[in-house]
Amino acid sequence: MNPISQTLSIKMPEEKHKDSTPNSSDIEALANKTAKVTSIENKSELSGWPKFKDSFKRAHVEDYGLDPNMPEDEKIAILTAHSSLHRKLKNRHLQMIAIGGAIGTGLFVGSGSGLATGGPAGLIIGYILVGSMIYCSVQSLGELAVTFPVQGAFVTYNSRFIDPSWGFAMAWNYAIMWLIVLPLELVAASLTIKYWDPNTNSAAYVTAFYFFIIAINFFGVRGYGEAEFVFSIVKVVAILGFIILGIVLITGGGPQGGYLGGYYWHIEGAPFPNGFKGVVTVFVGAAFAFAGTELCGLAAAESDNPRKALPKACKQVFWRITLFYVVSLTLIGLLVAHDNERLLGASSVDATASPFVIAIQNGGIKGLPSVMNVVIMISVLSVGNSSLFGATRALCALAAAKQAPSILAYIDKKGRPLVAILVQLSVGCLCYLAATPKQGEVFAWMMALTGLATLINWGSINTCFIRFRYALKAKGRDTSELTFASQPGLFGAYWGLCLVIIIVCLQVWLAIFPLKQKPNAEVFFQTLLSIPIILCFYIGHKIYTRNWKFYIKAEDIDIDTGRKETDLELLKQEIAEEKIYLRSLPFYMRVYNFWC
């Protein structure tokens, strides 16, 4: 019997299924019923204004008649496996979301503070270590998301593979993180305009960008995908152009001439101006710069072919880390001094302090700093757009899993999670605090909410992967039934998890004994605020549900609900044929397939 049918208790017509358990074909037909009904509704003959109004009506929601006594993790697996979200993201969308979707102020601006505190060597070490963790985490996520392309992806995997209470805490942690990022990025976008127009009130530009983000998401997931496709191309071309320009400037080919080489590595205090503690300060900044890399996994539930698109997207994260972060920041360390006055004390949203802009200005190239500032503004808007996607999908998954108000699960006929979008846009109005004299303090505390949230999310993704692999083993099954298996495997997942634990512990140390400051409560809570918030959600859920189990036993983990392919024997045969075909390819094609 298909394992899915063992967890579903479905109300069937008595005359046909009296005293019998529904078979796999019954369940598959019922699982696809929502999508079919929605498709029929969307093909209605309405046009013009009536069609426009009708698109905002709620998509058909199927009542699966779940047994109320069913364990919470099983309910969550079933409820999130079937969604009214539309699968309209194409292969090219996922590729560009993976390659450049999350490149924003973390790289273009935040890397400047990392250079100032960690020095050129500390900057590279921090980004390489965090980058290796990201690569392993995305591979872990890729295996899970291809196998289970369910609503919410890793937001719900925590409840399914670890513990419902931990899943509740991590889902809200992730949602809050992206809810806060939107107003931050809107303010950052308005500040980039001050490079050209320092006199106009920031609120005017904030309003313009706010409605721009609304317009993009009005077109649903396809609008998000197309916008990110264009934004990512602009960012990728800009960084590749900067890499070429940087090499030219370092070797003395700029307008001012003169070989620069490794001069800035040999000035006093470089390459580690603040020692080990300075390197530690780079880790959180690097994590913030990589935030959003996991969105390609979250988008799996809205991809038309996750089995084909997602593995390629996950593999290409390696090139994103290597080229767009490590190579570009190595050049930054050679082009900008760590003690440059514009880097010291710079805000994470102050585009004028971007080391990329400073490097071009130092090279004496006129006009290009403005072009780079335009790229920074586009990058900021891209991350703001991604924040709306991430927050709304997290809230929608929470509601679908009965862990948030059910109204948040409202998805219209166009596949837009309308209520979740309205919640995100309401929080986005905090961007108008940019016009107040206390904006610095307000946004410092808002940033504190997102501080370690990204790191803890990645650690949790790796833990889900490890638990899934142990569940496979406990049930006598293996990776031969997986259409995509993580390339670094269990070793990579353990490496990613261990790095997260080490970095979080180092941040606790840094919060107690901050760099160049005396210990104080404000710095402590601004560094670690996300940890007590997660604990409050976790303990609160334990008390409310009275579920005092700390983890789900490996043999009890559901590893079948939500799979796109339910015939495992046929799937194994297809995978075996694909492997035979790959082995028949020329060596260079096999190398390309492995890395791309």
Side-chain angles (χ1 to χ4, degrees):
M1 184 185 297
N2 191 308
I4 300 175
S5 61
Q6 296 175 359
T7 58
L8 264 174
S9 174
I10 304 175
K11 297 174 182 177
M12 309 294 289
E14 292 184 4
E15 64 273 16
K16 187 176 180 180
H17 292 277
K18 189 179 295 181
D19 300 325
S20 65
T21 303
N23 57 40
S24 58
S25 60
D26 294 327
I27 295 168
E28 186 176 355
L30 184 59
N32 292 325
K33 189 174 180 182
T34 301
K36 290 180 180 178
V37 173
T38 303
S39 176
I40 292 171
E41 290 175 348
N42 287 337
K43 293 179 181 178
S44 63
E45 296 181 358
L46 294 174
S47 61
W49 177 251
K51 183 178 180 180
F52 175 76
K53 286 197 304 179
D54 187 68
S55 72
F56 290 96
K57 291 182 180 179
R58 189 167 196 161
H60 180 80
V61 179
E62 184 66 41
D63 179 11
Y64 292 101
L66 299 182
D67 184 349
N69 297 318
M70 184 182 292
E72 186 177 0
D73 57 292
E74 294 182 21
K75 287 181 182 179
I76 291 172
I78 294 168
L79 291 169
T80 56
H82 314 294
S83 170
S84 300
L85 294 170
H86 288 186
R87 292 184 176 274
K88 289 193 174 182
L89 286 178
K90 303 296 182 182
N91 188 10
R92 62 185 177 88
H93 295 142
L94 279 184
Q95 304 310 308
M96 294 312 296
I97 289 171
I99 292 174
I103 296 175
T105 51
L107 173 64
F108 288 123
V109 183
S111 57
S113 61
L115 176 61
T117 57
L123 182 69
I124 299 304
I125 291 171
Y127 272 80
I128 288 177
L129 284 175
V130 174
S132 69
M133 179 196 71
I134 298 302
Y135 173 72
C136 293
S137 302
V138 170
Q139 286 279 326
S140 297
L141 174 59
E143 179 176 316
L144 292 172
V146 171
T147 308
F148 309 101
V150 301
Q151 181 180 357
F154 56 88
V155 174
T156 57
Y157 294 155
N158 294 293
S159 296
R160 183 170 181 169
F161 299 118
I162 304 175
D163 171 60
S165 296
W166 180 250
F168 176 78
M170 293 309 300
W172 275 107
N173 171 58
Y174 190 74
I176 290 172
M177 181 188 79
W178 282 120
L179 285 170
I180 296 301
V181 166
L182 178 60
L184 286 173
E185 296 298 325
L186 288 172
V187 171
S190 69
L191 289 177
T192 59
I193 301 295
K194 288 188 177 294
Y195 186 85
W196 301 286
D197 181 10
N199 299 320
T200 304
N201 193 307
S202 298
Y205 292 111
V206 162
T207 302
F209 294 135
Y210 182 78
F211 282 99
F212 176 68
I213 296 293
I214 293 175
I216 290 174
N217 285 273
F218 178 81
F219 294 99
V221 68
R222 189 65 180 269
Y224 164 74
E226 294 295 351
E228 285 307 301
F229 181 76
V230 174
F231 289 157
S232 295
I233 288 177
V234 171
K235 290 184 282 187
V236 167
V237 170
I239 294 177
L240 291 177
F242 176 81
I243 289 172
I244 296 171
L245 175 64
I247 294 171
V248 171
L249 293 176
I250 291 167
T251 54
Q256 295 181 348
Y259 177 77
L260 190 60
Y263 172 77
Y264 289 126
W265 281 64
H266 295 92
I267 62 177
E268 186 178 357
F272 298 102
N274 294 294
F276 177 70
K277 188 175 283 189
V279 178
V280 173
T281 63
V282 176
F283 291 141
V284 170
F288 180 75
F290 284 114
T293 308
E294 73 287 344
L295 286 174
C296 61
L298 192 65
E302 295 172 76
S303 169
D304 62 350
N305 191 352
R307 177 177 172 180
K308 179 182 178 181
L310 199 52
K312 287 184 175 293
C314 292
K315 292 175 186 177
Q316 289 169 0
V317 167
F318 173 83
W319 300 109
R320 170 184 163 183
I321 294 169
T322 304
L323 287 175
F324 305 145
Y325 288 89
V326 176
V327 172
S328 64
L329 291 179
T330 299
L331 295 175
I332 286 294
L334 294 169
L335 290 166
V336 181
H338 74 276
D339 57 355
N340 187 291
E341 291 182 0
R342 288 169 62 184
L343 295 179
L344 301 177
S347 165
S348 60
V349 295
D350 183 4
T352 61
S354 167
F356 289 79
V357 173
I358 295 171
I360 295 172
Q361 288 177 330
N362 289 347
I365 303 176
K366 297 180 179 179
L368 266 185
S370 290
V371 173
M372 183 54 69
N373 209 56
V374 170
V375 173
I376 293 172
M377 184 176 68
I378 291 173
S379 302
V380 170
L381 290 174
S382 171
V383 176
N385 185 42
S386 295
S387 72
L388 198 146
F389 178 83
T392 55
R393 271 53 182 185
L395 291 173
C396 217
L398 275 163
K402 310 296 184 185
Q403 292 181 330
S406 58
I407 189 64
L408 289 172
Y410 186 104
I411 299 173
D412 68 13
K413 292 181 179 181
K414 288 291 185 181
R416 295 170 296 209
L418 282 184
V419 177
I421 289 175
L422 291 175
V423 170
Q424 169 71 98
L425 294 176
S426 298
V427 176
C429 290
L430 291 173
C431 61
Y432 289 105
L433 290 170
T436 69
K438 292 285 187 179
Q439 61 163 312
E441 292 181 38
V442 172
F443 287 109
W445 283 103
M446 288 172 66
M447 284 289 290
L449 290 170
T450 67
L452 297 177
T454 304
L455 280 167
I456 297 171
N457 268 309
W458 283 325
S460 194
I461 288 170
N462 284 308
T463 305
C464 288
F465 174 85
I466 294 167
R467 298 284 295 148
F468 169 64
R469 284 293 186 91
Y470 276 114
L472 272 178
K473 185 177 180 181
K475 295 175 185 290
R477 294 154 67 174
D478 56 35
T479 57
S480 63
E481 64 182 59
L482 304 179
T483 54
F484 171 67
S486 166
Q487 292 171 321
L490 276 172
F491 173 80
Y494 277 115
W495 169 256
L497 178 60
C498 289
L499 270 182
V500 168
I501 294 171
I502 292 170
I503 292 173
V504 170
C505 290
L506 288 173
Q507 293 308 310
V508 172
W509 170 61
L510 202 63
I512 298 172
F513 304 104
L515 180 67
K516 295 181 178 179
Q517 295 183 54
K518 293 182 179 180
N520 65 83
E522 184 177 354
V523 171
F524 180 84
F525 283 107
Q526 284 187 354
T527 304
L528 303 177
L529 185 59
S530 54
I531 292 179
I533 289 175
I534 290 172
L535 289 176
C536 285
F537 277 114
Y538 177 74
I539 295 171
H541 189 270
K542 284 290 182 192
I543 294 172
Y544 180 78
T545 60
R546 298 181 181 178
N547 171 25
W548 303 110
K549 293 181 180 179
F550 294 103
Y551 64 94
I552 304 168
K553 293 182 179 179
E555 57 269 22
D556 294 332
I557 293 176
D558 177 7
I559 57 174
D560 290 291
T561 302
R563 281 178 178 259
K564 201 170 183 181
E565 299 92 351
T566 55
D567 189 336
L568 295 183
E569 293 305 317
L570 177 61
L571 180 61
K572 288 181 180 180
Q573 183 180 342
E574 290 177 358
I575 294 170
E577 290 173 356
E578 288 174 5
K579 289 181 178 178
I580 292 172
Y581 170 72
L582 287 174
R583 284 197 292 268
S584 69
L585 295 175
F587 176 74
Y588 69 90
M589 287 297 295
R590 281 179 279 153
V591 171
Y592 174 82
N593 182 74
F594 181 84
W595 289 109
C596 301

